[in-house]
């Protein structure tokens, strides 16, 4: 038997920057997905504790997006990218909430790729699983989720440069805690304007060149007001990631919190928030012990993430879950 475990991820700052090769600061969390399999046969057959129907995927699957039941598409995406020569039979268990913005699908895919024997380094497994997710969901996601899940380090935030795929380890100071509070709105990137935002950024880049290297001066020269706002979010968000890392290194937690809170950029310039999320962010910001809060991941619902004083019992006032920065994917042979 082979058992692989992969974490979920939460992003502290740097959203909608990965697919223009920008900067992000996620961490792998202590909730995740376990895939336990025996390698045998000519299909990948998995039962999940959260799904009524099992996933049965032939090794020569061509169109992961057409597979039923829908959760099996994520399995099919990995099989289509990895092309294992032997099948597998086993189980999937998870303690990650689905559709909460904690990357439950990437967690499943990275665990499965490792369980089926993929042994490339973290950027390689992340790239494989990014393609697998794109094929499964039909959404052109970036690489942040898969790379955070593959490269997680116990106790650390991951300062990722999505251009070079270099991951710098930034230990979370012991006097800080990361808390996630669910907005109550489930989301799915397939039903949000994620693909539109990505296309808008690509159109801007055709006009002014890579957003990663664009200045605010150049952004101001963009004539279309919507395109200008989208570009302004990306350029200022990359700068906020750098400033946030510096603030943490210098224990300027109030400054770090303020940088997170500038979520009017995600709300107004990038238009990926919702009133429910905005209200929760405002409620968290007004809570003693919270330095800053913001939507995280794709937006339109899911978890709101808060940077908190580790000594304050923020959960007593607002609920939510305290996430501990976790190691990335692990794999072990349990018998046989
Ligand atoms: C989703 C995508 C990521 C990233 C975030 C926004 O989680 O899967 O690649 O683009 O949205 O930061």
């Amino acid at each position: 038997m082979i058992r692989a475990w992969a974490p979920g991820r939460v992003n502290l700052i740097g959203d909608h920057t990965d697919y223009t090769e920008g900067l992000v600061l996620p961490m792998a969390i202590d909730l995740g997905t376990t895939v336990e399999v025996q390698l045998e046969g000519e299909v990948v057959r998995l039962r999940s504790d959260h799904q009524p129907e099992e996933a049965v995927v032939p090794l020569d699957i061509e169109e992961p997006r057409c597979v039923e039941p829908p959760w099996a598409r994520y399995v099919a995406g990995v099989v289509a990218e990895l092309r294992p020569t032997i099948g597998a039979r086993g189980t999937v268990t998870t303690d990650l909430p689905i559709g909460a913005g904690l990357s439950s699908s990437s967690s499943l895919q990275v665990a499965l790729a490792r369980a089926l024997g993929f042994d490339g380094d973290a950027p390689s497994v992340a790239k494989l699983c990014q393609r697998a997710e794109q094929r499964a969901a039909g959404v052109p996601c970036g690489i942040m989720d898969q790379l955070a899940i593959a490269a997680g380090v116990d106790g650390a935030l991951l300062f990722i440069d999505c251009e070079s795929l270099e991951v710098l380890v930034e230990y979370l100071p012991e006097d800080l805690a990361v808390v996630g509070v669910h907005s109550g709105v489930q989301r799915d990137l397939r039903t949000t304007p994620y693909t539109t935002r990505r296309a808008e950024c690509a159109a801007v880049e055709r006009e002014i060149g890579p957003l990663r290297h664009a200045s605010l001066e150049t952004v101001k020269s963009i004539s279309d007001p919507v395109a200008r706002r989208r570009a302004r979010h990306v350029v200022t968000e990359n700068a906020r990631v750098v400033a946030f890392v510096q603030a943490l290194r210098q224990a300027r937690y109030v400054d770090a919190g303020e940088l997170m809170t500038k979520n009017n950029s995600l709300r107004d310039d990038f238009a990926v928030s919702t009133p429910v999320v905005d209200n929760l962010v405002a409620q968290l910001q007004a809570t003693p012990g919270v330095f800053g809060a913001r939507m995280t991941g794709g937006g339109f619902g899911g978890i709101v993430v808060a940077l908190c004083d580790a000594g304050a019992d923020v959960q007593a006032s607002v609920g939510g879950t305290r996430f501990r920065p976790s190691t990335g994917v692990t794999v072990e042979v349990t018998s046989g």
Side-chain angles (χ1 to χ4, degrees):
M1 293 291 284
I2 295 167
R3 184 191 298 142
W5 177 85
R9 71 93 189 91
V10 69
N11 190 27
L12 270 81
I13 195 161
D15 270 312
H16 291 276
T17 50
D18 62 346
Y19 49 82
T20 46
E21 305 191 326
L23 303 172
V24 296
L25 192 73
M27 67 184 213
I29 62 173
D30 52 336
L31 302 176
T33 310
T34 302
V35 173
E36 199 160 13
V37 291
Q38 198 150 355
L39 300 184
E40 61 171 45
E42 278 158 26
V43 297
V44 174
R45 179 185 293 270
L46 294 172
R47 265 183 298 111
S48 162
D49 58 351
H50 283 286
Q51 303 289 341
E53 281 181 68
E54 54 177 24
V56 184
V57 175
L59 299 184
D60 59 355
I61 184 76
E62 285 296 341
E63 289 290 346
R65 215 173 302 170
C66 303
V67 169
E68 295 291 343
W71 79 276
R73 293 171 196 168
Y74 295 96
V75 176
V78 173
V79 172
E81 283 299 323
L82 190 59
R83 289 284 175 234
T85 49
I86 182 160
R89 168 191 291 267
T91 57
V92 177
T93 50
T94 184
D95 52 9
L96 276 170
I98 314 291
L102 297 175
S103 293
S104 52
S105 57
S106 303
S107 173
L108 165 64
Q109 292 192 303
V110 174
L112 180 61
R114 285 288 193 231
L116 295 181
F118 186 78
D119 64 356
D121 61 7
S124 311
V125 75
K127 282 192 232 165
L128 181 135
C129 290
Q130 180 191 19
R131 293 193 302 272
E133 170 113 26
Q134 292 179 345
R135 286 180 76 170
V139 175
C141 65
I143 198 155
M144 166 172 72
D145 305 347
Q146 295 81 3
L147 191 49
I149 288 166
V153 173
D154 200 11
L157 305 175
L158 309 166
F159 182 17
I160 302 178
D161 179 335
C162 296
E163 189 175 34
S164 64
L165 299 190
E166 188 186 2
V167 181
L168 285 185
V169 172
E170 294 287 334
Y171 283 97
L172 183 70
E174 300 226 319
D175 45 357
L176 289 179
V178 174
V179 173
V181 184
H182 205 304
S183 62
V185 184
Q186 262 220 352
R187 34 121 275 176
D188 180 336
L189 289 185
R190 286 171 296 190
T191 54
T192 69
Y194 186 94
T195 304
T196 311
R197 291 293 174 279
R198 190 162 176 166
E200 287 168 340
C201 286
V204 165
E205 291 194 314
R206 282 194 291 276
E207 188 180 338
I208 64 162
L211 276 165
R212 170 64 189 275
H213 302 291
S215 68
L216 269 181
E217 277 312 302
T218 313
V219 168
K220 279 185 199 146
S221 73
I222 301 171
S223 49
D224 178 69
V226 173
R228 194 164 60 233
R229 284 205 296 275
R230 303 293 187 253
R232 186 168 61 188
H233 165 71
V234 176
V235 171
T236 58
E237 182 82 346
N238 282 329
R240 277 189 291 274
V241 177
V242 174
F244 184 91
V245 168
Q246 279 164 353
L248 280 195
R249 285 180 187 165
Q250 296 164 0
R252 290 186 285 108
Y253 302 151
V254 172
D255 294 347
E258 272 170 17
L259 287 160
M260 286 176 84
T261 298
K262 285 191 178 149
N263 99 316
N264 46 3
S265 179
L266 283 163
R267 186 190 63 201
D268 302 335
D269 281 350
F270 219 68
V272 288
S273 196
T274 67
V276 176
V277 169
D278 295 338
N279 288 340
L280 179 55
V281 168
Q283 188 197 341
L284 276 160
Q285 277 158 14
T287 303
V290 174
F291 292 114
R294 63 173 2 224
M295 58 146 268
T296 180
F300 299 100
I303 294 272
V304 167
V305 63
L307 185 72
C308 307
D309 178 346
D313 194 356
V314 169
Q315 286 147 274
S317 9
V318 286
T321 309
R322 182 167 166 173
F323 298 128
R324 285 172 215 288
S326 154
T327 173
V329 63
T330 57
V331 61
E332 59 184 313
V333 176
T334 55
S335 63

